[in-house]
Amino acid sequence: MAKKRTSGLANRPIGIFDSGIGGLTVANAIQKVLPNESLVYFGDTAHLPYGDKSPDSIKYYAIRISQFLLKQQCKMIVIACNTASAMAYETVKDFVGDAVPVIDVINPVVEHVTGIAGSKKIGVIGTKGTIKSDIYAKKIHAKNKKLEVASLATPLLAPMIEEGFFNNKISRTVIGSYLDSRKLSKIDSLILACTHYPLIRPEVEDYYKGKVLIVDSAGVVADRVKSVLAENELLAPKRKPVHHFYVSDFTKSFEESTRNFFRSKIHLEKKDIWL
Ligand code: DGL
């Protein structure tokens, strides 16, 4: 178990990780809500996609990445990936102990959707790993047994978005054919349970024409990060933050794609943490 950190904590960065660059949607939302916070982001591009990996592999990657973020003196760890949150949240929490708070992307969203008045049937779309774990249904039912939950694996969406296919004919066709699924009929809200999906949110909204409430994790998780930092007196003072964005495998195309996820192009640094 990692040691508890005690001094100058508020000045330290927030650690964020994902299988790749999808988690940058969460990092971007955090940066908007908390403009003084420095961020250390790790995208495990060498092992992407997590959606098809075994729980054991994801747990191993998540521990090694958390170890790296703690070495970077991070004051909090945010698991900005639904698949890693579904499979490794408890493992990361056990590993980190009380050294720093750990935030996943599932619990804040579940609390948010179960608080929506009048909701009867909630749809969930995500990677094969997230949907197979059935974690949203389990957590939603633990809060409210009466809510119906319909989950659908949509494995083409993350690679499609990563390749820059969104807001065009191809993406509309793929999104439409998933959302046409009978499983999702009569839903009143839809959880976009993958950190890549905020990029297709406008197309999903167009599909439902305002009849279904669309919930993505970025904003909800950023608000949770803010409240947990405040509770722990860890909010950074007013300052110009310094961000670092690391990846386990570097390609020019990853770096080009960051613009879509973070709203500005960022410099990615390759880091080998597996030695
Ligand atoms: N960003 C990951 C998530 O939220 C999906 C991509 C992957 O399969 O690695 O689940």
Side-chain angles (χ1 to χ4, degrees):
M1 201 180 264
K3 272 194 222 130
K4 187 168 176 80
R5 290 154 201 280
T6 45
S7 62
L9 280 174
N11 289 314
R12 294 181 181 182
I14 298 172
I16 305 172
F17 76 90
D18 177 41
S19 59
I21 50 182
L24 288 172
T25 57
V26 177
N28 186 47
I30 293 174
Q31 178 208 231
K32 273 199 198 133
V33 174
L34 295 163
N36 298 321
E37 298 294 340
S38 295
L39 310 177
V40 175
Y41 183 91
F42 189 90
D44 192 8
T45 47
H47 297 120
L48 163 130
Y50 277 6
D52 291 330
K53 299 280 183 306
S54 69
D56 281 350
S57 297
I58 292 174
K59 283 177 193 164
Y60 174 73
Y61 304 146
I63 286 184
R64 295 301 295 269
I65 297 166
S66 301
Q67 208 167 25
F68 168 72
L69 294 174
L70 290 176
K71 269 200 200 132
Q72 302 299 304
Q73 307 289 318
C74 292
K75 62 183 174 185
M76 169 184 269
I77 292 178
V78 181
I79 308 177
C81 172
N82 277 267
T83 317
S85 294
M87 295 179 185
Y89 176 50
E90 297 301 328
T91 308
V92 170
K93 272 204 316 186
D94 284 350
F95 172 73
V96 168
D98 62 358
V100 298
V102 179
I103 309 279
D104 72 322
V105 288
I106 296 172
N107 285 301
V109 169
V110 165
E111 273 165 42
H112 179 77
V113 292
T114 50
I116 297 169
S119 183
K120 288 195 175 72
K121 182 172 175 185
I122 300 172
V124 184
I125 56 171
T127 65
K128 282 185 197 161
T130 300
I131 298 305
K132 201 163 164 242
S133 74
D134 208 24
I135 192 149
Y136 277 92
K138 286 178 195 152
K139 287 190 185 258
I140 289 170
H141 287 145
K143 292 202 172 281
N144 183 347
K145 280 203 184 75
K146 288 188 187 148
L147 282 169
E148 197 181 333
V149 181
S151 305
L152 182 75
T154 49
L156 287 179
L157 296 183
M160 177 188 86
I161 296 164
E162 195 117 357
E163 284 298 326
F165 283 89
F166 54 92
N167 212 7
N168 64 23
K169 252 192 193 164
I170 292 176
S171 60
R172 268 192 294 278
T173 307
V174 176
I175 293 165
S177 58
Y178 277 135
L179 299 182
D180 282 344
S181 164
R182 281 179 57 190
K183 263 193 179 176
L184 298 177
S185 67
K186 300 209 173 89
I187 54 169
D188 43 61
S189 51
L190 178 69
I191 300 175
L192 305 185
C194 172
T195 52
H196 283 68
Y197 297 178
L199 275 79
I200 54 162
R201 185 180 173 132
E203 290 166 84
V204 176
E205 278 169 341
D206 276 357
Y207 177 91
Y208 286 113
K209 302 203 168 26
K211 290 187 188 112
V212 168
L213 181 74
I214 312 301
V215 180
D216 74 55
S217 33
V220 177
V221 172
D223 289 341
R224 170 62 66 92
V225 167
K226 185 177 181 179
S227 63
V228 172
L229 287 180
E231 272 161 33
N232 289 279
E233 295 177 14
L234 287 174
L235 286 167
K238 201 165 165 41
R239 60 172 180 183
K240 195 171 168 8
V242 181
H243 304 321
H244 285 281
F245 299 94
Y246 298 106
V247 285
S248 48
D249 191 22
F250 178 88
T251 67
K252 262 273 164 248
S253 89
F254 282 141
E255 195 165 72
E256 285 302 323
S257 305
T258 57
R259 199 190 301 276
N260 297 329
F261 292 87
F262 201 68
R263 302 283 154 86
S264 57
K265 189 177 164 192
I266 50 189
H267 170 61
L268 298 177
E269 298 169 55
K270 182 174 183 295
K271 197 88 189 166
D272 193 352
I273 64 165
W274 316 106
L275 298 170

